[in-house]
Amino acid sequence: MNAPGSTKATPLHGIASDAIDASCRMPLFVLFGVAALWLAASSVFGLIASIKFHSPTFLSEAGWLTYGRVYPAAKSMFLYGFALPAALGTTLWIFARIGKVGAAQPFFIAAGGALWNLGVLAGVIGIFAGHSTGFENMEMPRYAAVLLFFGFLLIGIWTLVTLHERRDRRLGVTQWFLLAALFWFPWIYSTAQLLLVVWPARGTAQAVIHWWFSANFTVLWCGLAGLGVVFYFIEHVAGRPLHNSPLAVFALWTSLLFVSWTGIPAGAPVPAWIPTLSTIAGVVSVVPLIALAMVLVPTLRATDVPPSAGGEITSHRSAWCRLTSTVPGRLVASGLVAFLVAWVVQLICAIPSVNGFVQFTWFTYALSQLNLYAFLALTLFGAIYLIAPRVAGMDWPWPKVVRLHFWLAVIGIALIVLPLAAGGLLQASKFASKASHPELSFVTVANGTLHFLRISSIGEVLLLLGHVLLAGNLLTLMARCARARLAAAYESAVAEVRTAEVKP
Amino acid sequence: MNYGALVFLGAFVAVSLSWFGMVLSPQVQLGRQTQGTNSVNTAELYPVQRPGLAREGLEVYRANGCVYCHSQQVRQSGTAVNVILTDAGTNAAAAADALMKSRAGVTDANAVGLSAGLPKAILTDVDVDRARAAVEALTSAGAKAEIEIVPVGTDIAWNWGIRRSVAHDYLYDSPVLLGSLRVGPDLANVGARLPDANWHYRHLYAPRSVVEGSAMPAYPYLFERRPIQGQPSPDAIESKDGFEIVPTSEARALVAYLLSLRADVPLFESPVSVEPPPQETADTNSAAGTNVVSPQASASAQ
């Protein structure tokens, strides 16, 4: 890990990186610190949920521990407790760093983070108490959504102000993606909340709005936020300019235009034009995907290094090698690979016959985990491992543990995604063979997936270990930073008193 | 490209477009749907509001997250057209002859075969033209035949429904919980498939006691154990040592809801030729129509 002092970013104009990092300290400690705790809690409950498949009576006596509450609670902790705050914190820091300006109103952002986390807490308790809205990916009840809304508002507004006040006026691809993500989430979340919970739409219009929200959140928002971080790492950490920035911007606009219409499954019980449009949008989403590949592949393969300060070429390593030379970079690179795979598979699944085949099976679950965890979470881990020591002004307490977490996360998520994708395909083919094998029983098909689920439970244990390591490392880092700052403050206060004593 | 406002405007246009397409228009179209006499065989109004207890049951279903393991949406890949001969007429040989001469593509019809075991399907899964030709030929020869349209598809093969689910089936539900994963079977028609409330109580209390090897979680907290006072309750699922286990009001509501799940009314938008089951309210759990398998049979068939 790079010690914070070793960052070479020399400001063209504007304030020094150290001062920028310090301005982000309070909000990022709130956003990242609590996010790490939610993440660990999420995997504890996720593990409980997955054990229930192997032992249906496990923890079944208490209502709040039933599968149908533990699972959505775990997922909400992941999405709203971890992913969103971590992405928001990362966005703030990246805006400040690229813009060479300190965070605007760090206190309000931290307060927003606190309010947001209060909302998550209320929401999760609500889900355990049976107040879930029933809509996957937005289960948290109305009262929690209100807190989330105001928390987001505080964070979002001052993040925007930070961007607006940037001293380096250029606005790069990284910022475009993160900015779009920052706008996108409140729009879709408030629409869905209003039309599903506050003034519920009629009949299957609810289902359409819910599918729309889910796709816009777990695919589009997640893609924008994650890619923003990826571009930051390529441009500013590995220090490589993008091969073709206008093409990246084109990918941004086309994904906003096309991916935002996807998500309605082909056989949905709604007027036929809706799934048809959605299918077309899903297929046309190949355009942003190709554009992204045309930006990313040449960028990462390029080996020429622009002459450094001394004018001589310092290395011939490709951008990919550079990116993967540190653990945070490796996390982001793994996330990027997962992103490309996930989007290609999503594209294939947009074809109606494929869609109908895998719909309702574990395959779709595996795909969403690929997107949400292997892509987004890994990328955000990379960002946290890069940013936290900088804002703390000291190195990780256990730098080796960072490497260990990388392996736990990568192996763990592979043990979840691969078996469940395979199990899902098997399940799908058995479902489809009922017409020719009338004797096939549902329990046989369902229990045929259990072996795969067992392997995925091992994956969940690995993820949990990784999350505990992350939380331990991060909270210790924060505590040490706080202690060091307190000590420094004490020293200077004492010194002041001494000088005051000396004077008279 | 250095203006943040541009990103804002562009993203706003994109989100508005998708909002108009995927949120507003469906809402306008589906919001206009009303109850109507659009079921095929009868003049009954469809859909009808679920009875009160069943509506409470939907809340229990939502609160306990049944939706994470159960879908409520029957898909259909298409329809099969069959020709059913109901009456071979007075001259079966002539009917067989006419059938073979028609464009129906039948080559091996004979009088004996035609008149045995009526009514029966003489043509299955043919296109509509051939079916029409066959019916015309048979009718002109004095026999009686009709065209039957049967929905087909994997979900229908699984006996999860007799036709695809359509928007109308969910008109009065809120929240509409279609589900995304089938850890358990589809429940869109569970009320028709498993019409016995006591089966559901026992299943919810201890799934493995009724379905061997079931991976469904148990819901003991929806039941209470209480001392038997006088006569044991009729819906006690277990009674021993002076105690009985009875469903709580939540379990009762949930089961009423499950029994009300029966989207099997034939609709113009999704016709089925099967006779609709006799109309009944959902909270009476009397044995349902003839096309419904008995709970035991269907449970063991699963």
Side-chain angles (χ1 to χ4, degrees):
Chain A
M1 305 288 324
N2 288 346
S6 69
T7 45
K8 290 184 209 76
T10 41
L12 298 169
H13 39 257
I15 56 175
S17 346
D18 288 0
I20 297 174
D21 291 343
S23 77
C24 293
R25 188 178 298 130
M26 185 174 29
L28 257 58
F29 274 10
V30 173
L31 290 170
F32 286 177
V34 188
L37 290 177
W38 280 126
L39 185 66
S42 150
S43 49
V44 169
F45 286 104
L47 192 62
I48 293 179
S50 96
I51 292 175
K52 283 169 181 278
F53 282 111
H54 318 307
S55 157
T57 48
F58 175 68
L59 295 182
S60 66
E61 289 294 328
W64 70 277
L65 279 174
T66 191
Y67 180 85
R69 298 191 194 176
V70 172
Y71 171 74
K75 189 148 184 211
S76 298
M77 290 182 210
F78 173 79
L79 287 174
Y80 294 85
F82 167 73
L84 272 156
L88 286 172
T90 306
T91 304
L92 171 69
W93 183 81
I94 290 179
F95 281 0
R97 266 299 190 93
I98 302 185
K100 301 192 169 64
V101 65
Q105 302 294 350
F107 174 77
F108 284 116
I109 302 180
L115 204 57
W116 173 275
N117 280 307
L118 207 64
V120 178
L121 183 67
V124 167
I125 293 177
I127 293 173
F128 280 129
H131 300 171
S132 152
T133 61
F135 294 107
E136 201 168 353
N137 298 326
M138 49 170 294
E139 287 95 346
M140 292 204 269
R142 203 162 151 176
Y143 46 80
V146 175
L147 291 171
L148 294 182
F149 178 78
F150 286 109
F152 193 97
L153 209 62
L154 278 178
I155 304 171
I157 285 180
W158 297 115
T159 305
L160 283 181
V161 172
T162 306
L163 181 76
H164 184 70
E165 288 176 346
R166 67 192 185 280
R167 310 241 169 105
D168 185 342
R169 293 309 296 172
R170 284 170 300 172
L171 203 62
V173 173
T174 306
Q175 289 142 303
W176 281 64
F177 272 78
L178 292 176
L179 190 56
L182 191 64
F183 290 134
W184 209 262
F185 177 76
W187 284 337
I188 57 168
Y189 188 68
S190 47
T191 297
Q193 195 70 30
L194 288 177
L195 292 180
L196 291 178
V197 183
V198 182
W199 301 293
R202 221 153 154 242
T204 39
Q206 287 188 7
V208 177
I209 296 169
H210 174 228
W211 279 315
W212 173 85
F213 169 77
S214 282
N216 271 282
F217 183 27
T218 64
V219 181
L220 186 51
W221 176 84
C222 166
L224 296 175
L227 284 174
V229 177
V230 170
F231 286 132
Y232 180 80
F233 268 77
I234 295 176
E235 287 190 306
H236 299 269
V237 180
R240 293 306 182 88
L242 286 187
H243 169 68
N244 189 341
S245 294
L247 196 57
V249 173
F250 172 78
L252 172 72
W253 291 129
T254 44
S255 52
L256 290 186
L257 279 176
F258 301 148
V259 182
S260 61
W261 290 68
T262 60
I264 286 89
V270 294
W273 64 267
I274 303 174
T276 307
L277 265 183
S278 201
T279 301
I280 296 172
V283 174
V284 182
S285 298
V286 72
V287 173
L289 185 63
I290 291 178
L292 280 170
M294 282 167 61
V295 174
L296 288 166
V297 174
T299 304
L300 289 171
R301 288 182 51 172
T303 50
D304 54 315
V305 173
S308 62
E312 85 246 51
I313 290 172
T314 47
S315 94
H316 288 287
R317 292 188 307 164
S318 68
W320 175 260
C321 288
R322 248 167 208 268
L323 183 63
T324 52
S325 64
T326 64
V327 184
R330 227 171 288 160
L331 279 160
V332 171
S334 318
L336 178 58
V337 172
F339 166 82
L340 292 173
V341 176
W343 275 42
V344 169
V345 177
Q346 246 144 29
L347 201 73
I348 297 172
C349 287
I351 302 165
S353 55
V354 182
N355 188 296
F357 182 69
V358 297
Q359 198 192 2
F360 298 129
T361 68
W362 285 104
F363 186 85
T364 54
Y365 176 84
L367 181 57
S368 96
Q369 285 300 306
L370 188 63
N371 223 341
L372 289 176
Y373 200 99
F375 166 47
L376 185 64
L378 252 51
T379 307
L380 291 174
F381 292 158
I384 292 177
Y385 281 124
L386 176 84
I387 298 170
R390 285 173 170 72
V391 297
M394 51 176 66
D395 204 352
W396 286 102
W398 299 288
K400 288 216 176 84
V401 161
V402 177
R403 190 174 303 253
L404 182 59
H405 182 196
F406 169 78
W407 286 112
L408 285 172
V410 170
I411 297 173
I413 192 60
L415 283 181
I416 292 176
V417 170
L418 298 178
L420 289 185
L425 289 178
L426 188 74
Q427 189 190 12
S429 69
K430 285 204 190 145
F431 274 158
S433 69
K434 176 71 172 178
S436 49
H437 297 85
E439 77 288 350
L440 199 62
S441 88
F442 186 86
V443 171
T444 322
V445 179
N447 292 0
T449 61
L450 284 182
H451 308 295
F452 300 98
L453 281 165
R454 241 165 247 143
I455 306 176
S456 82
S457 297
I458 300 173
E460 306 229 9
V461 174
L462 298 188
L463 296 190
L464 169 62
L465 285 178
H467 298 163
V468 171
L469 295 182
L470 169 65
N473 223 347
L474 183 61
L475 295 182
T476 312
L477 176 75
M478 285 162 52
R480 284 192 186 168
C481 168
R483 200 178 329 132
R485 291 178 53 76
L486 275 180
Y490 178 76
E491 286 293 316
S492 66
V494 170
E496 235 166 66
V497 172
R498 280 213 196 99
T499 44
E501 273 167 0
V502 169
K503 258 181 197 164
Chain B
M1 285 209 327
N2 291 344
Y3 298 101
L6 201 64
V7 184
F8 172 82
L9 276 180
F12 188 71
V13 169
V15 84
S16 311
L17 280 177
S18 106
W19 191 86
F20 274 108
M22 290 282 125
V23 176
L24 189 66
S25 325
Q27 161 67 0
V28 166
Q29 185 178 5
L30 289 164
R32 267 205 300 259
Q33 275 197 334
T34 48
Q35 195 182 41
T37 54
N38 58 351
S39 63
V40 174
N41 295 3
T42 59
E44 276 155 17
L45 288 179
Y46 187 81
V48 285
Q49 179 73 271
R50 291 181 205 285
L53 191 59
R55 261 177 288 157
E56 280 168 39
L58 172 56
E59 295 296 305
V60 183
Y61 189 91
R62 168 191 61 70
N64 291 289
C66 309
V67 69
Y68 298 101
C69 291
H70 290 286
S71 60
Q72 286 189 19
Q73 177 192 340
V74 177
R75 299 165 305 170
Q76 173 180 332
S77 53
T79 47
V81 175
N82 302 337
V83 175
I84 309 284
L85 183 66
T86 47
D87 180 0
T90 45
N91 188 349
D97 214 34
L99 191 58
M100 284 198 288
K101 281 194 189 125
S102 73
R103 288 177 299 110
V106 184
T107 49
D108 56 350
N110 59 55
V112 183
L114 271 195
S115 37
L118 297 179
K120 67 172 179 199
I122 50 166
L123 284 176
T124 50
D125 202 2
V126 292
D127 63 49
V128 182
D129 282 343
R130 281 178 61 194
R132 287 227 180 89
V135 171
E136 259 166 40
L138 287 167
T139 320
S140 64
K144 283 195 189 109
E146 53 197 46
I147 295 178
E148 174 194 60
I149 299 168
V150 201
V152 290
T154 334
D155 293 2
I156 290 159
W158 276 101
N159 190 26
W160 287 333
I162 54 174
R163 60 158 169 84
R164 73 188 163 97
S165 305
V166 297
H168 253 92
D169 297 333
Y170 309 88
L171 197 59
Y172 291 123
D173 288 337
S174 188
V176 171
L177 300 176
L178 296 183
S180 61
L181 185 60
R182 281 178 181 162
V183 179
D186 189 274
L187 296 182
N189 272 289
V190 73
R193 188 162 71 238
L194 298 163
D196 178 5
N198 283 317
W199 186 91
H200 285 288
Y201 289 136
R202 278 181 285 138
H203 184 247
L204 285 171
Y205 183 71
R208 290 195 173 177
S209 70
V210 279
V211 180
E212 206 183 300
S214 169
M216 166 144 154
Y219 291 87
Y221 64 90
L222 293 177
F223 295 82
E224 64 179 333
R225 201 174 111 93
R226 65 174 190 206
I228 303 178
Q229 285 152 349
Q231 286 288 315
S233 320
D235 52 5
I237 52 169
E238 210 177 281
S239 49
K240 65 170 184 254
D241 309 333
F243 281 90
E244 60 181 1
I245 291 176
V246 289
T248 59
S249 54
E250 283 196 318
R252 277 176 223 278
L254 180 60
V255 169
Y257 170 66
L258 291 175
L259 296 182
S260 79
L261 287 172
R262 39 188 318 152
D264 50 3
V265 175
L267 301 175
F268 288 126
E269 61 215 281
S270 183
V272 295
S273 58
V274 190
E275 281 288 310
Q279 187 66 26
E280 55 180 332
T281 51
D283 48 356
T284 63
N285 47 39
S286 60
T290 43
N291 60 340
V292 174
V293 225
S294 78
Q296 290 76 13
S298 107
S300 57
Q302 303 258 321

